[in-house]
């Protein structure tokens, strides 16, 4: 760290581990009165049990970023997790720095998570020095986007938000109309993948994280999942993130659209971009990603399907998070209280679809959207697991899991615990959907066709059990009227057998 005369008041600028945006205006000029601060800190490693790849990737990316800042001439204080006297919280860290330096002001970029926002806002009182919050300059929208776009509303529809975003930011538009004449290519984008086109090899960046892993172990951070020491495949520098984007646009984007909902046991990433980590720690910006997709020669349904995820869903769930926190974090509209079965942590279940999704999550800290929604989320919801437990699992296990994006997706879209703020109906299915979109059912110990009996696929009876037990809450949802008509039309003995099997499954989830 360089020094400045003690009499010159300094500004401390705190950079969080998911704020690695080297293009931020903070870094445009070198200012000797500014001291940048980065910290590997226990309050961040310990608020949930994280996947080891997630901790390693964040620390590795932070260390590269620190190197980049110093090489550009910026002054930096960097706390490693193993440093003697390393503080456990940001407040203690800043307090210590303020006693050692003549600090006149503290600046932070808006944290994406409510937990950190609360912590950082309380620092001013604790340290006695003004704290100024500035934008991260990363997202298209600000935190209050929903109240400015839809004043007075308390529920929002993603599709309306997305169309406004397309128009406002001139993405895939011809004047006032969407390119290709339609906003949505969902009907072309729901194909099963049956081996062709071949899956492109997963691009690994082979980051050596031997030192980081040694530090994680030495400091006693508890993690889940596995990692190969010298093969952290996630992009951890901006150059790697740009390479990952290039690889996606050239080798996957053309097929992203048709196969975005497909699942297979033959691979773990299909045609997905695996850019979420690089995006969420801000190594790369959503604008860069969208510009690259839109200027590619990939077919429009694929490009639109991809743009929708980032310009639509990603910005939308962030806006929902900030419009509804902190109460959102305790919503449990269906009153689910069950524990998460042990196989969520081991993958040891006879359900082939769940085994594959959980095992790859433990191995790679990754599952794609439909695995998260229609396999692990589906079974957790059908079994009635408590949304707190489900949230903690998703927040810990995925490389890209940060609460602002994890929680509306998990508690909202996947567990329907928000009472319909994010999703218009619960995302549950029987084996029929999973079989239609994947190759999981072939070779499964359970029979996809059977609804009752020991060998029957658990999803089948649980699907009806779920709708039956939540009838009061769900039957007035017009999107579910067909479900209840079908249920009511079944023979009473069939219904009672399904409910009996459903009861057994809920009570014996650990044995599945
Ligand atoms: P792609 O399929 O290639 O999509 C491109 C990009 O679009 C992603 O990188 C991501 O930035 C964005 N995106 C896609 N879907 C969503 C969505 N529903 N919400 C927000 N952004 C989206 N995403 C996270 O980034 N962090 C999470 O913690 C997270 N938790 C989830 C939990 C559940 C239960 C579900 C159903 C989804 C969750 N998602 C989360 C959304 C989505 O599953 C991941 O963004 C995606 O799988 C990341 O892989 P990818 O980069 O290959 O995405
Ligand atoms: Fe999953 Fe049921 Fe298919 Fe087995 S039969 S893979 S449990 S949906």
């Amino acid at each position: 760290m360089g020094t400045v005369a003690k009499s010159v008041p300094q500004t401390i600028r705190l950079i969080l581990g998911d704020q690695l945006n080297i293009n931020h205006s903070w870094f445009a000029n070198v200012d000797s009165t500014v001291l940048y601060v980065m910290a590997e800190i226990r309050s961040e490693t310990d608020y949930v049990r994280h996947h080891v790849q997630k901790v390693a990737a964040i620390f590795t990316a932070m260390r590269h970023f620190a190197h980049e800042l110093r090489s550009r001439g910026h002054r930096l204080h960097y706390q490693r997790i193993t440093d003697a006297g390393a503080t456990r919280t940001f407040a203690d860290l800043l307090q210590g720095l303020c006693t050692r330096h003549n600090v006149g002001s503290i600046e932070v970029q808006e944290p994406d998570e409510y937990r950190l926002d609360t912590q950082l806002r309380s620092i001013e009182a604790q340290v006695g020095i003004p704290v100024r919050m500035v934008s991260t300059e990363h997202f298209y929208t600000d935190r209050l986007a929903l109240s400015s776009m839809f004043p007075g509303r308390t529920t929002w529809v993603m599709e309306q938000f997305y169309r406004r975003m397309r128009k406002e930011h001139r993405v895939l538009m011809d004047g006032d109309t969407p390119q290709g004449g339609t906003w949505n290519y969902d009907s072309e984008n729901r194909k099963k993948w049956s081996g062709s086109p071949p899956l492109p090899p997963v691009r690994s960046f082979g980051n050596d994280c031997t030192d980081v892993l040694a530090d994680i172990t030495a400091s006693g951070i508890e993690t889940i999942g596995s990692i190969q020491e010298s093969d952290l495949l996630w992009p951890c520098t901006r150059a790697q993130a740009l390479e990952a984007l290039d690889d996606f646009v050239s080798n996957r984007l053309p097929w992203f659209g048709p196969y975005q909902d497909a699942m297979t046991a033959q691979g773990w990433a299909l045609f997905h971009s695996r850019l979420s980590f690089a995006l969420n720690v801000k190594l790369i910006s959503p604008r860069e990603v969208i510009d690259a997709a839109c200027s590619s020669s990939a077919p429009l349904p694929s490009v639109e399907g991809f743009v929708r995820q980032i310009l639509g869903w990603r910005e939308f769930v962030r806006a929902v998070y900030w419009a509804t926190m902190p109460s959102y974090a305790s919503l449990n509209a269906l009153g689910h209280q069950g524990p998460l079965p042990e196989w969520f942590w081991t993958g040891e279940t006879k359900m082939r679809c769940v085994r594959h999704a959980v095992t790859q999550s433990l191995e790679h800290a990754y599952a794609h959207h439909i695995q998260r929604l229609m396999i692990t989320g589906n079974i957790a919801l059908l079994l009635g697991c408590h949304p707190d437990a489900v949230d903690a699992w998703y927040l810990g296990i995925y490389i890209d899991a940060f609460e602002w994006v994890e929680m509306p997706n998990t508690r909202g879209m996947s567990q329907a615990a928000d009472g319909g703020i994010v999703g218009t109906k619960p995302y549950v299915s029987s084996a029929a959907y999973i079989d239609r979109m994947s190759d999981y059912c072939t070779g499964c110990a359970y029979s996809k066709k059977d609804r009752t009996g020991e060998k029957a696929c658990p999803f089948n009876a649980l699907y009806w059990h779920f709708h039956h037990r939540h009838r009061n809450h769900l039957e007035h949802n017009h999107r579910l009227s067909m479900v209840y008509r079908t249920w009511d039309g079944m023979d009473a003995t069939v219904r009672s057998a399904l409910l009996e099997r459903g009861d057994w499954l809920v009570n014996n989830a650990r044995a599945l």
Side-chain angles (χ1 to χ4, degrees):
M1 190 196 326
T3 52
V4 284
K6 185 89 178 149
S7 56
V8 182
Q10 296 178 54
T11 297
I12 281 184
R13 286 179 172 168
L14 178 67
I15 304 166
L16 302 177
D18 65 349
Q19 295 180 338
L20 309 182
N21 173 10
I22 199 68
N23 291 326
H24 193 279
S25 54
W26 268 4
F27 313 119
N29 300 302
V30 172
D31 181 342
S32 63
T33 68
V34 171
L35 175 64
Y36 290 99
V37 174
M38 298 177 73
E40 300 167 8
I41 206 153
R42 291 308 289 258
S43 54
E44 287 306 291
T45 56
D46 295 1
Y47 67 84
V48 75
R49 199 162 162 191
H50 302 278
H51 198 294
V52 64
Q53 290 190 31
K54 182 179 171 192
V55 184
I58 292 174
F59 284 4
T60 303
M62 286 173 70
R63 291 179 187 188
H64 281 299
F65 192 81
H67 177 75
E68 178 73 22
L69 282 184
R70 285 193 175 117
S71 68
R72 291 181 183 210
H74 298 288
R75 293 169 63 233
L76 174 71
H77 172 87
Y78 190 96
Q79 170 177 290
R80 283 199 179 205
I81 200 84
T82 44
D83 282 349
T87 61
R88 298 184 77 87
T89 67
F90 289 116
D92 289 348
L93 172 70
L94 295 176
Q95 179 101 62
L97 287 168
C98 289
T99 56
R100 294 206 295 281
H101 300 270
N102 175 14
V103 177
S105 64
I106 297 174
E107 294 183 357
V108 297
Q109 294 178 24
E110 276 179 342
D112 289 331
E113 293 176 286
Y114 193 85
R115 179 191 77 259
L116 281 163
D117 195 79
T118 311
Q119 275 178 40
L120 296 183
R121 284 183 195 281
S122 69
I123 283 176
E124 186 162 315
Q126 191 172 332
V127 178
I129 291 177
V131 175
R132 190 166 84 93
M133 253 186 212
V134 302
S135 164
T136 56
E137 302 173 9
H138 172 82
F139 293 96
Y140 280 87
T141 49
D142 64 30
R143 287 173 173 184
L144 302 177
L146 289 176
S147 58
S148 53
M149 283 166 96
F150 307 104
R153 288 217 210 146
T154 51
T155 55
W156 308 274
V157 178
M158 197 308 271
E159 188 64 29
Q160 291 175 355
F161 173 88
Y162 171 61
R163 291 181 190 186
R164 289 274 293 264
M165 293 290 284
R166 290 266 299 272
K167 285 185 192 159
E168 194 172 321
H169 297 283
R170 315 296 318 150
V171 177
L172 297 178
M173 295 298 294
D174 284 330
D176 280 342
T177 50
Q179 264 178 35
T182 175
W183 294 101
N184 191 315
Y185 292 87
D186 273 359
S187 56
E188 294 174 46
N189 281 352
R190 293 207 171 119
K191 294 207 170 104
K192 180 171 181 162
W193 180 77
S194 304
S196 169
L199 298 182
V202 169
R203 173 83 175 87
S204 167
F205 291 96
N207 285 295
D208 185 342
C209 55
T210 316
D211 289 352
V212 161
L213 279 181
D215 287 353
I216 292 172
T217 308
S219 52
I221 298 168
E222 291 193 7
T223 58
I224 50 176
S226 58
I227 186 172
Q228 288 179 351
E229 282 175 29
S230 55
D231 191 20
L232 182 59
L233 59 84
W234 301 99
C236 291
T237 64
R238 180 164 162 75
Q240 290 178 354
L242 290 170
E243 239 184 272
L245 172 60
D246 194 45
D247 176 58
F248 168 67
V249 170
S250 312
N251 300 321
R252 292 176 176 74
L253 180 58
W255 296 279
F256 176 87
Y259 301 110
Q260 64 180 304
D261 286 3
M263 298 175 281
T264 176
Q266 296 177 50
W268 58 274
L270 275 147
F271 301 99
H272 292 271
S273 69
R274 288 178 300 105
L275 285 169
S276 48
F277 174 74
L279 275 164
N280 293 354
V281 298
K282 305 181 183 61
L283 289 172
I284 196 165
S285 81
R287 279 187 178 75
E288 287 171 305
V289 174
I290 285 178
D291 287 351
C294 292
S295 54
S296 75
S297 56
L300 185 55
S302 275
V303 175
E304 190 283 317
F306 183 69
V307 164
R308 167 180 294 268
Q309 305 310 319
I310 297 178
L311 191 67
W313 281 110
R314 186 168 187 264
E315 298 281 330
F316 180 69
V317 297
R318 172 171 178 265
V320 167
Y321 178 80
W322 282 104
T324 57
M325 283 297 280
S327 57
Y328 199 91
S330 53
L331 295 178
N332 186 2
L334 298 174
H336 282 172
Q337 301 296 330
L340 210 56
E342 183 57 24
W343 34 259
F344 266 87
W345 305 99
T346 62
E348 287 166 18
T349 162
K350 296 191 286 297
M351 294 179 284
R352 188 165 184 249
C353 52
V354 179
R355 189 169 69 236
H356 184 256
V358 172
T359 305
Q360 78 161 64
S361 302
L362 291 166
E363 277 174 13
H364 302 298
Y366 179 88
H368 61 74
H369 186 76
I370 295 299
Q371 291 177 302
R372 297 187 204 196
L373 188 65
M374 296 312 295
I375 302 295
T376 43
N378 191 358
I379 193 73
L381 180 57
L382 289 175
L383 288 170
C385 300
H386 197 298
D388 286 358
V390 187
D391 254 339
W393 187 79
Y394 278 95
L395 190 55
I397 201 160
Y398 290 119
I399 192 78
D400 52 33
F402 298 88
E403 192 185 79
W404 64 271
V405 53
E406 173 280 323
M407 191 179 281
N409 271 299
T410 303
R411 190 170 286 260
M413 193 185 314
S414 145
Q415 298 303 294
D418 67 358
I421 296 175
V422 174
T424 49
K425 72 175 183 70
Y427 283 92
V428 286
S429 81
S430 62
Y433 172 85
I434 295 171
D435 189 43
R436 192 160 65 245
M437 296 311 298
S438 78
D439 53 16
Y440 286 141
C441 298
T442 313
C444 179
Y446 291 107
S447 158
K448 65 185 180 190
K449 293 234 162 70
D450 293 337
R451 297 192 294 186
T452 52
E454 250 177 63
K455 290 273 175 210
C457 169
F459 285 86
N460 291 341
L462 284 172
Y463 176 80
W464 294 112
H465 193 264
F466 170 85
H467 285 102
H468 172 77
R469 68 181 195 263
H470 293 300
R471 183 160 196 149
N472 286 346
H473 193 85
L474 299 177
E475 77 173 327
H476 302 298
N477 182 332
H478 71 277
R479 295 191 67 193
L480 297 175
S481 49
M482 180 71 171
V483 172
Y484 284 104
R485 266 206 306 280
T486 308
W487 174 244
D488 291 341
M490 280 183 207
D491 190 88
T493 50
V494 173
R495 280 195 310 229
S496 117
L498 283 169
L499 293 182
E500 200 183 313
R501 166 89 173 143
D503 277 344
W504 187 89
L505 291 164
V506 166
N507 292 323
N508 294 277
R510 85 175 82 92
L512 299 181

